[in-house]
Amino acid sequence: MSESSESASPRTTALHGVHEAAGAVLVDFAGWLMPLRYGSEKAEHMAVREAAGIFDLSHMGEIRVTGPQAAAALDHSLIGHLSKVKVGRARYTMLTDASGGVLDDLIVYRLGEDDYLVVANAVNAPVVADHLVERAADFDARVIDESDEYSLIAIQGPRAAEILTPLTDADLESLRPFAVYERTVADHPVLLARTGYTGEDGFEIFIKPADKAPAIWEALTAEGSRSGLLPAGLSARDTLRLEAGMLLYGQELTAELTPFDAGLGRLVKFDKGDFVGRAALEEASRTARPRRLIGLVSRGRRPLRQGQSVLRDGEGVGTITSGAPSPTLGRPIAMAYVDGDLDTGTGAFTVDVRGRGEAVDVVELPFHQRQKSENTSKES
């Protein structure tokens, strides 16, 4: 990191004044000043599990890919088969480098026949935009980083649809998971998607221009005040996604891992033409050491953290990628990569916490799974 980037002030979203007025604790996150929490992290977490929470995600990157060969450009650029995605639907996929390493995991929305919106993690958005521009150069397609033009609000939880219904012209009953529509919320045109990162039903609202976000936030919080809605910060978002077994770039995914290393080879679609990293990923599909992500629940109270070693009968078998106290379970939990052929049903498992073995139980992921109705089942 250069000296100038280290000294640069973090950017603020269009909702910065709203967060300050709500008493949020603000922190520098990926170059943005974002709410860590507003009050109790546990209360924010449990509001999402039991009622609803509202998040400012405006730090995420939005990159538009348009033109007659937009689909072909994305098939070439990403590991997914984006030309097969239907208009009005979304797909979880990844951007890899030529050696197959994961540069970011993405959600790609197909807004029209020749119109896609690529949503990148905040820390990686400039890298994603630059790679897409370079990779689309030989296609009749335009890549435009529209991140500064959007605000993004998420409302998540079992009462999210109940809160949103009076404020939108969308038929939420017919809005399936991983679907996106052009609709209105609080009388403002938006892109409304049934997606999220909490393990609960919910919606993400893409707002353009960005400065319309405060009005939509205020309308949602006013409507949700009778239903237990709380604003939620980065801390709650992280414990929610951890309980839901959802991967985080920089922890479960890195440029040193291919999708096959991470146990996500199913996302790589070889049933299309050439794409960046194809040769390396074909090799990885044959040679990558099988591994899988497991869940750990501590029998004690000491927190489990990224980088700690997982042991079975005293022998190292894996490494924690994410860990935190779980508000839902009332215990420390963690995700860890272990060898894919490891028998986790035998032996005593511990985690090395500062030189002392902390007894843990191995559990299936996710730690928390909501009751899903037919129209809210998750789609990848």
Side-chain angles (χ1 to χ4, degrees):
M1 182 180 290
S2 68
E3 183 178 346
S4 60
S5 62
E6 285 180 342
S7 59
S9 297
R11 302 173 64 188
T12 57
T13 75
L15 290 162
H16 180 70
V18 173
H19 303 321
E20 285 191 318
V25 174
L26 299 166
V27 296
D28 187 345
F29 179 78
W32 292 83
L33 199 58
M34 300 298 296
L36 180 67
R37 62 180 177 273
Y38 297 82
S40 163
E41 296 170 4
K42 181 177 181 180
E44 293 169 22
H45 178 109
M46 295 311 298
V48 177
R49 289 282 179 252
E50 298 171 354
I54 185 170
F55 300 82
D56 179 9
L57 306 182
S58 304
H59 58 309
M60 302 288 281
E62 290 88 12
I63 302 151
R64 205 72 170 254
V65 183
T66 64
Q69 292 187 304
L74 286 172
D75 280 347
H76 171 71
S77 301
L78 307 177
I79 65 172
H81 204 160
L82 284 308
S83 59
K84 282 192 170 182
V85 178
K86 295 179 180 178
V87 174
R89 304 291 289 167
R91 183 67 48 86
Y92 176 66
T93 187
M94 295 177 181
L95 175 81
T96 63
D97 60 21
S99 62
V102 179
L103 297 177
D104 202 15
D105 60 336
L106 312 163
I107 299 289
V108 180
Y109 299 88
R110 192 169 194 173
L111 306 180
E113 192 65 29
D114 302 322
D115 188 9
Y116 291 80
L117 186 68
V118 178
V119 178
N121 288 298
V123 69
N124 296 326
V127 171
V128 173
D130 289 346
H131 276 282
L132 290 179
V133 167
E134 179 182 346
R135 297 178 188 191
D138 293 332
F139 295 85
D140 187 3
R142 295 182 65 207
V143 177
I144 310 164
D145 187 349
E146 296 186 342
S147 302
D148 290 343
E149 301 177 36
Y150 278 96
S151 287
L152 176 57
I153 292 173
I155 178 169
Q156 303 278 299
R159 305 190 74 174
E162 170 191 323
I163 294 165
L164 184 57
T165 293
L167 299 173
T168 182
D169 60 350
D171 177 6
L172 300 185
E173 286 294 321
S174 66
L175 183 61
R176 295 183 292 165
F178 274 65
V180 61
Y181 295 151
E182 292 185 2
R183 292 292 186 267
T184 64
V185 173
D187 298 323
H188 295 286
V190 300
L191 293 174
L192 181 63
R194 200 163 203 153
T195 47
Y197 193 53
T198 64
E200 299 295 337
D201 187 23
F203 305 87
E204 292 182 319
I205 305 166
F206 295 85
I207 304 156
K208 186 180 179 182
D211 61 7
K212 300 298 183 184
I216 293 176
W217 181 282
E218 296 294 351
L220 288 166
T221 53
E223 184 64 36
S225 63
R226 299 180 294 274
S227 303
L229 176 74
L230 288 181
L234 294 170
S235 288
R237 189 165 183 254
D238 190 51
T239 52
L240 288 159
R241 72 92 194 166
L242 175 57
E243 287 184 353
M246 293 179 168
L247 282 58
L248 176 64
Y249 191 85
Q251 294 184 213
E252 285 73 41
L253 299 170
T254 71
E256 286 68 49
L257 295 176
T258 72
F260 290 96
D261 292 325
L264 293 170
R266 69 183 186 279
L267 298 178
V268 182
K269 304 303 181 184
F270 292 119
D271 61 337
K272 59 177 182 173
D274 192 27
F275 60 94
V276 176
R278 179 173 185 131
L281 289 169
E282 287 178 331
E283 179 67 15
S285 71
R286 297 187 292 268
T287 63
R289 184 177 179 178
R291 74 174 71 193
R292 60 194 171 100
L293 201 60
I294 62 170
L296 303 172
V297 178
S298 178
R299 297 181 184 178
R301 295 294 177 182
R302 294 203 298 168
L304 307 179
R305 299 299 187 196
Q306 181 186 20
Q308 293 171 340
S309 296
V310 180
L311 304 95
R312 185 183 67 173
D313 297 333
E315 180 181 352
V317 294
T319 304
I320 287 179
T321 55
S322 294
S326 165
T328 302
L329 301 184
R331 295 277 186 176
I333 61 173
M335 295 193 293
Y337 277 127
V338 297
D339 289 343
D341 55 1
L342 180 71
D343 182 2
T344 56
T346 62
F349 280 79
T350 59
V351 170
D352 184 350
V353 181
R354 297 182 180 179
R356 193 181 88 186
E358 190 78 11
V360 295
D361 294 313
V362 178
V363 300
E364 291 294 323
L365 293 172
F367 300 98
H368 166 82
Q369 191 164 20
R370 63 185 169 89
Q371 295 295 317
K372 300 178 184 178
S373 61
E374 182 178 349
N375 76 320
T376 58
S377 61
K378 189 175 188 308
E379 178 178 321
S380 63

